[in-house]
Amino acid sequence: MSPFKIEKFDIIIAGTGPAGIFAALELVQDAPGLRILLMDKGADLDSRVAQRSASKESVMDSYLSGWGGAGAFSDGKLNLTSKVGGCLNEYMEEMELLNLIDYVDSLYLKFGAPKELHGTKREEIGKIAEAAARHDLKLIPFKIRHLGTDLCVPVLKKIRDELKGKVEIRLHTCAEEILVDGEKVAGIRTGDGSEIKSEYVVMAPGRGGAEWLGRVAKSLNLTTLINPVDIGVRVEVPAAVMKDITDVVYESKFVFYSKRFDDQVRTFC
């Protein structure tokens, strides 16, 4: 018997990175009136900024966990394509996925993302693609909306303001265990031993909670898959070397297949 008061919500979302935040935005729009708990083991944005100047351990934790997730202090590039950055095209039709990408992009615009789009010069992109093909390279063109490091935090704050009063947000609250009743989800047990009941739990822990998610999946006998791991090599060149390409496509994605092993080699950023 837990010594703590047992609470109940309609839906619990564990993780306040992009997946958790956007899940909450959709729920409050499509199903208003639901009692939703949005929780994360990390801190709010202002506290995360302060933590980054503390010890190394605090710095790492503040980068990975808290409101906005691991990308809160990133360069904020939104690659608006189904060709890079994931494998959702294995789970849904291409057109449906493209419509979702446009929809998510419209939400970022609503909360303050810049209107400028990069990678839209079709004729010049075509010339680069032709030149790449002559060297056995394939160019993957796509549009990019670039928030930039300075704009990521304000955008995330506006989203947080949008959700205030519509969902309950609890930071510094660690999900320890998924509770089950037979074959059904029953809620979450937190790090301090409290139990929060719900028939629905969205697990969106991101990079900071990947190890925890693995343990939970194993305890629930859920099948997991291992993604392939890329080996990266960093090569730095003067900006002038890449200027003719980056001025047009902004961030180039070239793919090369080695003739000996048929391995895929690609530029990353």
Side-chain angles (χ1 to χ4, degrees):
M1 179 73 68
S2 170
F4 298 93
K5 178 183 177 182
I6 298 177
E7 300 176 281
K8 183 170 176 59
F9 287 84
D10 294 310
I11 298 174
I12 299 172
I13 302 172
T16 60
I21 289 171
F22 277 87
L25 284 171
E26 290 303 292
L27 286 168
V28 298
Q29 174 180 285
D30 296 341
L34 289 178
R35 192 160 182 238
I36 302 167
L37 172 62
L38 186 52
M39 58 185 290
D40 196 287
K41 68 177 182 179
D44 205 348
L45 281 166
D46 291 337
S47 297
R48 293 181 70 189
V49 172
Q51 287 174 5
R52 292 165 68 198
S53 61
S55 67
K56 289 183 178 180
E57 185 176 346
S58 296
V59 168
M60 183 55 68
D61 191 54
S62 70
Y63 268 116
L64 297 180
S65 303
W67 188 263
F73 306 111
S74 72
D75 196 25
K77 287 193 179 81
L78 304 179
N79 297 330
L80 306 176
T81 177
S82 62
K83 305 301 182 184
V84 298
C87 55
L88 282 175
N89 52 2
E90 297 178 10
Y91 299 92
M92 61 177 64
E93 295 295 330
E94 179 76 7
M95 187 53 64
E96 183 183 4
L97 177 53
L98 292 175
N99 288 338
L100 279 176
I101 290 172
D102 287 341
Y103 173 62
V104 171
D105 183 41
S106 73
L107 289 178
Y108 272 103
L109 284 170
K110 173 184 175 181
F111 292 112
K115 293 182 179 180
E116 183 181 10
L117 269 180
H118 302 278
T120 60
K121 304 173 182 177
R122 291 188 178 182
E123 185 175 344
E124 294 175 63
I125 289 172
K127 292 179 181 178
I128 293 175
E130 290 176 6
R134 290 196 290 271
H135 297 278
D136 295 325
L137 296 172
K138 179 182 178 182
L139 173 68
I140 303 178
F142 53 88
K143 298 175 183 177
I144 296 176
R145 194 175 306 283
H146 188 188
L147 275 68
T149 306
D150 293 338
L151 197 53
C152 281
V153 170
V155 167
L156 287 167
K157 284 185 176 180
K158 288 180 181 179
I159 296 176
R160 195 187 193 293
D161 291 341
E162 174 74 14
L163 289 170
K164 278 183 179 178
K166 300 175 183 177
V167 304
E168 183 161 339
I169 299 172
R170 291 186 192 173
L171 299 167
H172 300 292
T173 304
C174 180
E176 185 65 29
E177 179 185 355
I178 302 296
L179 302 175
V180 295
D181 181 8
E183 295 184 352
K184 294 183 177 180
V185 170
I188 277 182
R189 180 175 289 113
T190 64
D192 66 3
S194 301
E195 291 185 1
I196 308 173
K197 298 291 188 177
S198 178
E199 294 182 9
Y200 299 95
V201 174
V202 178
M203 295 188 290
R207 179 64 187 89
E211 186 177 344
W212 170 80
L213 184 60
R215 292 198 308 269
V216 168
K218 185 176 181 180
S219 70
L220 298 176
N221 295 318
L222 298 176
T223 301
T224 57
L225 301 176
I226 299 175
N227 288 332
V229 177
D230 292 337
I231 298 175
V233 177
R234 184 182 180 110
V235 179
E236 294 190 7
V237 298
V241 174
M242 297 292 292
K243 189 176 187 304
D244 290 343
I245 296 174
T246 55
D247 281 356
V248 176
V249 299
Y250 201 68
E251 184 167 305
S252 56
K253 300 284 186 185
F254 292 103
V255 177
F256 172 77
Y257 293 94
S258 68
K259 292 181 174 61
R260 178 173 293 184
F261 300 109
D262 197 35
D263 290 328
Q264 177 181 291
V265 182
R266 62 186 176 88
T267 56
F268 182 69
C269 62

